Amino acid sequence: DQDEEKLQEYMDELEFLAYTAGATVEKRFTQKLSQPDSKTFVGSGKALEIKDYVKENEIGTIIFDDELSPSQLKNLERELEVKILDRTNLILDIFAQRAQTSYARTQVELAQYEYLLPRLTRMWTHLERQRGGIGMRGPGETEIETDRRIIRDRISLLKDKLKIIDKQMATQRNNRGKMVRVALVGYTNVGKSTLMNALSKSEVFAENKLFATLDTTVRKVVIGNLPFLLTDTVGFIRKLPTQLVESFKSTLDEVREADLLIHVVDISHESFEDHIDSVNQILQEIDAHKKPMVMVFNKIDDFSYERKDDDDLTPSTKKNISLEEWTKTWMAKSKFPTVFISALTKENFPEMKRLIYDEVMKIHISRFPYND
Ligand code: GDP
């Protein structure tokens, strides 16, 4: 059934995130509820089932595929007596591992503290209730109050630091002059860095893990005799923590200020349609959805679907689809110029380059109307 399929795809992604963070997944639990339980996210029966399994198999951590409210987190920790991570926490953790420059580290640290702060508060109110509130102000209170103050100070310090860097980066972007700016956007792990390397002959870190790229890389690329600036940006993901969208402002500014977006899609991924939606949604959130765009459907070498009827692609055994067949799918009917490629084998690169050239040229001509 379709819902079940979706659910397993989401769990696949969560498992991949967990793997990226360095964990091994032993078991999946799913549950259908009309809405999450306000106290424990899952129902009490399910919580017991999880608890038994955790005890029996000496599981160290439980990961939830959603952001838990501070009280849900607290309740679950108490109930299950094991470390609980939610989706936001997990993504923040991966970002923390991946941050290489001091800028990225500052951004991640800020996002982490903003995630932590309300959770400390809740821990405190929970403690307060346990101790009976007024008149019971023990060391716990002062400790948490101190923690909160330290964290708030740290947050404002980090914000100041980021403001300064943001300004520097804005100046840098301004100094790049009038050259056309193109940004690669797409879901995480779709092949943006691989494409960047192939187009700019540079060595950008590409890896089959999520979020290999945290910092933006800008390269000068020349197609034909037309130079432009190409930027590789942080990969998007479903339910990207809002704290991250906020603190990665400068990184996303590259997208916001680009003249043209190259939206890369991993066609071999069973959820690629959802990925397209997620990316478009984030583009809308950062007000970059009205820009000219080129759709690049990547990984055609690794495609494993078969065509059921004219327009419908259903997962099946591996089948080679010819380029001509690709152009008959719904993907090719997008309102944006569209191309099907493999960044790995470089199949259909000339076509992609021609498309990008045409789009960049349009912008170039509007900017330098009197040349040639
Ligand atoms: P990014 O996160 O979007 O920057 O993706 P990467 O460029 O890091 O690529 C993610 C993974 O997909 C890596 O293991 C790449 O080798 C692989 N990859 C990228 N392009 C292709 C392609 O065209 N075909 C196949 N089969 N794999 C690809």
Side-chain angles (χ1 to χ4, degrees):
D1 128 77
Q2 249 190 343
D3 282 355
E4 180 60 28
E5 236 172 67
K6 264 275 109 66
L7 203 63
Q8 289 310 326
E9 282 171 23
Y10 288 160
M11 292 305 259
D12 286 344
E13 180 179 273
L14 189 67
E15 187 164 335
F16 195 23
L17 278 169
Y19 156 77
T20 301
T24 333
V25 174
E26 298 272 322
K27 179 146 177 88
R28 298 175 173 192
F29 291 93
T30 56
Q31 182 176 37
K32 264 181 208 155
L33 292 176
S34 52
Q35 62 190 62
D37 188 284
S38 63
K39 290 203 185 78
T40 48
F41 191 72
V42 292
S44 52
K46 185 58 78 176
L48 269 181
E49 192 189 329
I50 298 173
K51 186 174 181 172
D52 286 345
Y53 182 84
V54 165
K55 278 252 155 68
E56 235 163 75
N57 298 279
E58 298 178 358
I59 301 296
T61 309
I62 303 176
I63 303 173
F64 286 82
D65 189 37
D66 239 306
E67 182 166 319
L68 299 171
S69 74
S71 67
Q72 285 170 335
L73 191 68
K74 222 39 252 155
N75 292 336
L76 281 166
E77 244 161 24
R78 210 175 343 159
E79 179 127 359
L80 303 175
E81 295 165 353
V82 67
K83 183 176 169 192
I84 311 279
L85 286 182
D86 63 11
R87 184 181 174 88
T88 303
N89 207 194
L90 182 65
I91 292 176
L92 287 174
D93 195 72
I94 294 170
F95 271 63
Q97 275 179 30
R98 300 257 142 173
Q100 280 173 2
T101 62
S102 96
Y103 181 53
R105 277 199 293 271
T106 310
Q107 287 171 315
V108 176
E109 200 185 335
L110 175 61
Q112 279 180 317
Y113 278 133
E114 286 185 330
Y115 171 83
L116 192 64
L117 194 59
R119 281 154 184 88
L120 276 185
T121 314
R122 187 56 67 154
M123 197 153 78
W124 158 239
T125 43
H126 148 67
L127 274 177
E128 186 182 48
R129 222 175 288 124
Q130 234 178 21
R131 287 158 200 252
I134 304 168
M136 296 296 286
R137 293 162 195 262
E141 181 221 14
T142 31
E143 236 167 69
I144 288 160
E145 271 309 313
T146 313
D147 284 354
R148 283 172 62 187
R149 210 172 35 243
I150 292 172
I151 290 177
R152 274 206 217 92
D153 288 350
R154 188 80 193 140
I155 285 178
S156 60
L157 200 88
L158 290 168
K159 278 187 173 162
D160 288 346
K161 200 170 156 188
L162 280 180
K163 246 184 231 150
I164 295 169
I165 308 179
D166 279 342
K167 243 186 223 149
Q168 287 168 350
M169 291 179 91
T171 316
Q172 265 176 30
R173 286 197 300 272
N174 281 334
N175 289 344
R176 282 188 214 143
K178 281 186 155 186
M179 221 187 280
V180 174
R181 278 150 56 177
V182 182
L184 289 164
V185 296
Y187 212 72
T188 177
N189 214 43
V190 294
K192 295 182 298 297
S193 307
T194 310
L195 191 57
M196 174 94 175
N197 284 337
L199 282 172
S200 67
K201 300 181 185 75
S202 63
E203 283 302 316
V204 176
F205 184 54
E207 194 187 7
N208 190 22
K209 281 198 174 171
L210 303 179
F211 307 113
T213 317
L214 276 195
D215 293 291
T216 46
T217 326
V218 186
R219 293 272 184 283
K220 189 175 157 188
V221 175
V222 182
I223 296 181
N225 50 9
L226 185 62
F228 59 91
L229 292 173
L230 184 64
T231 312
D232 185 9
T233 57
V234 60
F236 296 169
I237 193 163
R238 191 174 66 92
K239 298 190 203 155
L240 187 71
T242 46
Q243 299 93 334
L244 279 176
V245 177
E246 176 60 27
S247 69
F248 273 76
K249 186 185 163 300
S250 252
T251 312
L252 294 171
D253 276 347
E254 290 284 353
V255 177
R256 222 179 268 123
E257 292 177 16
D259 302 299
L260 172 70
L261 304 180
I262 298 181
H263 184 163
V264 186
V265 179
D266 175 358
I267 196 88
S268 75
H269 198 290
E270 54 192 350
S271 311
F272 78 90
E273 289 156 275
D274 286 343
H275 293 177
I276 296 175
D277 290 343
S278 295
V279 170
N280 285 335
Q281 200 184 320
I282 293 168
L283 287 177
Q284 198 152 359
E285 269 170 47
I286 63 171
D287 204 27
H289 57 296
K290 286 183 189 143
K291 291 184 185 295
M293 188 148 81
V294 173
M295 296 297 294
V296 173
F297 289 93
N298 188 32
K299 305 198 191 181
I300 56 172
D301 63 290
D302 196 27
F303 184 73
S304 52
Y305 294 67
E306 91 177 354
R307 249 145 66 91
K308 210 160 72 186
D309 51 57
D310 269 0
D311 249 337
D312 197 13
L313 291 163
T314 8
S316 176
T317 48
K318 199 161 247 185
K319 266 218 165 159
N320 258 343
I321 294 195
S322 70
L323 279 173
E324 205 211 317
E325 273 181 289
W326 279 118
T327 59
K328 288 180 187 143
T329 60
W330 65 265
M331 287 86 84
K333 297 186 183 106
S334 150
K335 62 176 172 174
F336 300 109
T338 300
V339 68
F340 301 88
I341 63 146
S342 163
L344 211 61
T345 65
K346 303 202 172 178
E347 191 180 348
N348 214 20
F349 259 41
E351 163 92 9
M352 176 186 65
K353 285 186 175 173
R354 198 177 51 76
L355 263 186
I356 296 174
Y357 178 92
D358 286 350
E359 293 307 303
V360 173
M361 192 49 120
K362 277 185 211 160
I363 299 160
H364 186 81
I365 287 173
S366 69
R367 197 160 295 176
F368 303 100
Y370 302 116
N371 286 3
D372 293 68

